[in-house]
């Protein structure tokens, strides 16, 4: 069993992150801010850190179709779906087999100090703690096309870009359930950021790819000691202790109150929410909306109530919530003005 490393994410990623598409690569550099990469599960992608450490654990069947974009005039406005990292069945795997070879990943990086330094930069850890950081992660596969900020290795640095990982991609997740490393290329991952302006898609779309069905993972607000995943071989539930390769896998003592096939089709699940996306002119990718309007600091002055009257406070406008936004989060980009014709994903 790998050494257990207990760690907590520095911050909970904001739900109002934009969703675009990218693969194994970069930071939100200004020159790349309008590009989103589509990354097939097995492809290494641009600027990989290492050779693949993904294990052949079987083929992940595509998730059942989620809600489709509405047709007609209302199709210009979609909502982006976010799911908590603690959602049972968000990830898959094979009983007793980790989807990534963590020790091989450590070996690759320890043999190249420049890449280890850039990896630490992209992952948000210290170079001295790269091995401990990796051993504290859990190998799984994503069960839905998932938007992330990818970090490629270019000119000795971690270069961020927006990416969508195909369902079936092997990743390492942290104890908040957030993807942190893509195993096909060794690239560090972070939550996605908003793209403002016309989106340029790069990479190769896969059969069944639908932008409105891409999800974003919101890191759980509490530490996950045991992550509940779906066995990609027989569709059974597996409970995997975080920070292990699967050697302690077992059936959950309490089964989730949902079928594995319904994880991405239940619109009212407690882990689901919606958030704005990217500013895209006429594109099916998401759009960024403006921050919520604050309610008045004090209620308006009204004449005193008579004994027969009951005064009620004014109702604040119904505006989208920005709960969970951390202003210090370096990867979060929230434009100050909404696009003229917002397009967002369907949640």
């Amino acid at each position: 069993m790998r050494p257990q490393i207990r760690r907590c994410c520095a911050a909970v990623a904001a739900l109002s992150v934009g969703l675009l598409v990218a693969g194994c690569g970069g930071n939100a550099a200004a020159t790349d801010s309008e590009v989103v990469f589509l990354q097939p599960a097995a492809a290494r992608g641009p600027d990989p850190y290492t050779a693949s450490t993904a294990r052949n654990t079987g083929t992940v069947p595509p998730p059942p179709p989620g809600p489709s974009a509405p047709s007609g005039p209302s199709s210009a406005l979609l909502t982006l779906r976010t799911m908590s990292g603690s959602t049972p069945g968000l990830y898959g795997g094979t009983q007793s087999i980790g989807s990534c070879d963590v020790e091989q990943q450590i070996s690759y990086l320890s043999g190249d100090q420049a890449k280890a330094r850039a990896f630490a930069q992209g992952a948000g850890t210290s170079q001295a703690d790269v091995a401990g950081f990796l051993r504290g992660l859990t190998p799984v596969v994503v069960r839905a096309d998932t938007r992330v900020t990818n970090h490629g290795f270019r000119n000795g640095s971690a270069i961020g870009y927006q990416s969508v990982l195909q369902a079936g991609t092997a990743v390492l997740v942290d104890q908040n359930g957030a993807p942190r490393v893509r195993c096909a290329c060794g690239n560090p991952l972070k939550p996605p950021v908003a793209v403002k302006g016309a989106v340029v898609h790069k990479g190769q779309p896969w059969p069944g790819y639908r932008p409105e069905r891409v999800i974003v993972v919101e890191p759980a607000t509490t530490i996950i000691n045991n992550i509940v995943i779906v066995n990609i071989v027989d569709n059974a539930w597996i409970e995997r202790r975080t920070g292990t390769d699967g050697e302690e896998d077992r059936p959950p003592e309490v089964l989730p109150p949902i079928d594995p096939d319904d994880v991405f089709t239940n619109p009212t699940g407690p882990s689901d929410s919606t958030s704005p996306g990217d500013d895209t002119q006429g594109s099916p990718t998401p759009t960024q909306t403006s921050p919520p309007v604050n309610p008045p600091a004090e209620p308006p002055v009204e004449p005193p109530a008579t004994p027969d009257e009951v005064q009620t406070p004014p109702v604040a406008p119904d505006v989208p919530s920005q709960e969970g936004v951390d202003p210090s989060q370096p990867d979060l980009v929230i434009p100050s003005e909404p696009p003229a014709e917002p397009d967002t994903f369907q949640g």
Side-chain angles (χ1 to χ4, degrees):
M1 183 176 74
R2 290 190 278 112
Q4 300 297 309
I5 304 295
R6 302 296 181 192
R7 61 182 69 250
C8 178
C9 279
V12 176
L15 293 186
S16 57
V17 292
L19 289 155
L20 286 178
V21 269
C24 261
N27 186 341
T31 55
D32 295 332
S33 64
E34 296 179 353
V35 176
V36 173
F37 290 86
L38 297 174
Q39 187 63 62
R44 292 180 70 196
D47 305 318
Y49 277 72
T50 67
S52 175
T53 61
R55 290 172 172 151
N56 183 13
T57 56
T59 301
V60 178
S68 298
S71 59
S74 63
S75 62
L77 182 60
L78 302 175
T79 52
L80 177 66
R81 189 168 189 192
T82 61
M83 300 184 70
S84 170
S86 62
T87 303
L90 180 63
Y91 299 108
T94 303
Q95 180 83 32
S96 304
I97 302 177
S99 58
C100 308
D101 189 333
V102 174
E103 295 303 321
Q104 184 65 66
Q105 187 68 58
I106 293 171
S107 177
Y108 282 147
L109 290 174
S110 63
D112 191 320
Q113 293 303 304
K115 287 186 176 180
R117 182 168 52 252
F119 178 92
Q121 173 193 356
T125 188
S126 67
Q127 184 176 351
D129 193 39
V130 165
F133 169 80
L134 289 169
R135 290 188 176 119
L137 304 178
T138 307
V140 293
V141 296
V142 298
R143 294 184 66 226
D145 297 344
T146 303
R147 170 71 177 277
V148 296
T149 295
N150 218 315
H151 294 81
F153 179 73
R154 189 186 308 166
N155 298 326
S157 299
I159 304 301
Y161 59 85
Q162 296 306 292
S163 171
V164 168
L165 308 181
Q166 182 187 11
T169 298
V171 296
L172 298 173
V173 300
D174 62 20
Q175 284 191 313
N176 296 86
R180 300 305 306 275
V181 178
R182 185 174 187 270
C183 304
C185 53
N187 290 11
L189 306 174
K190 284 185 178 180
V193 297
V195 170
K196 188 175 183 180
V199 174
V200 178
H201 294 118
K202 292 189 176 182
Q204 180 63 48
W206 43 87
Y209 169 70
R210 294 285 296 274
E212 69 272 15
R213 294 177 184 169
V214 174
I215 69 164
V216 140
V217 177
E218 176 200 2
T221 57
T222 57
I223 295 298
I224 303 170
N225 293 317
N226 296 282
I227 186 168
V228 179
I229 64 177
V230 176
N231 192 329
I232 61 177
V233 175
D234 59 10
N235 215 38
W237 292 107
I238 297 174
E239 183 178 272
R240 175 168 293 177
R241 186 173 179 83
T242 52
T244 71
D245 288 322
E247 65 272 15
E248 299 180 26
D249 285 357
R250 61 183 182 180
E253 293 184 4
V254 179
L255 293 177
I258 190 172
D259 188 89
D261 289 338
D262 295 334
V263 171
F264 301 100
T265 58
N266 177 13
T268 59
S271 300
D272 292 348
S273 59
T274 58
S275 71
D278 305 306
D279 183 358
T280 59
Q281 299 296 325
S283 169
T285 50
T287 61
Q288 181 72 24
T289 62
S290 61
V293 178
N294 292 324
E298 296 182 0
V301 177
E302 298 287 349
T306 65
D308 295 331
E309 294 177 333
V310 177
Q311 294 294 322
T312 57
V315 178
D318 184 10
V319 294
S321 172
Q322 291 286 330
E323 181 179 358
V325 175
D326 182 354
S328 65
Q329 178 70 21
D331 279 345
L332 180 63
V333 178
I334 303 179
S336 59
E337 297 182 358
E341 295 291 337
D343 290 325
T344 55
F345 281 137
Q346 176 66 42

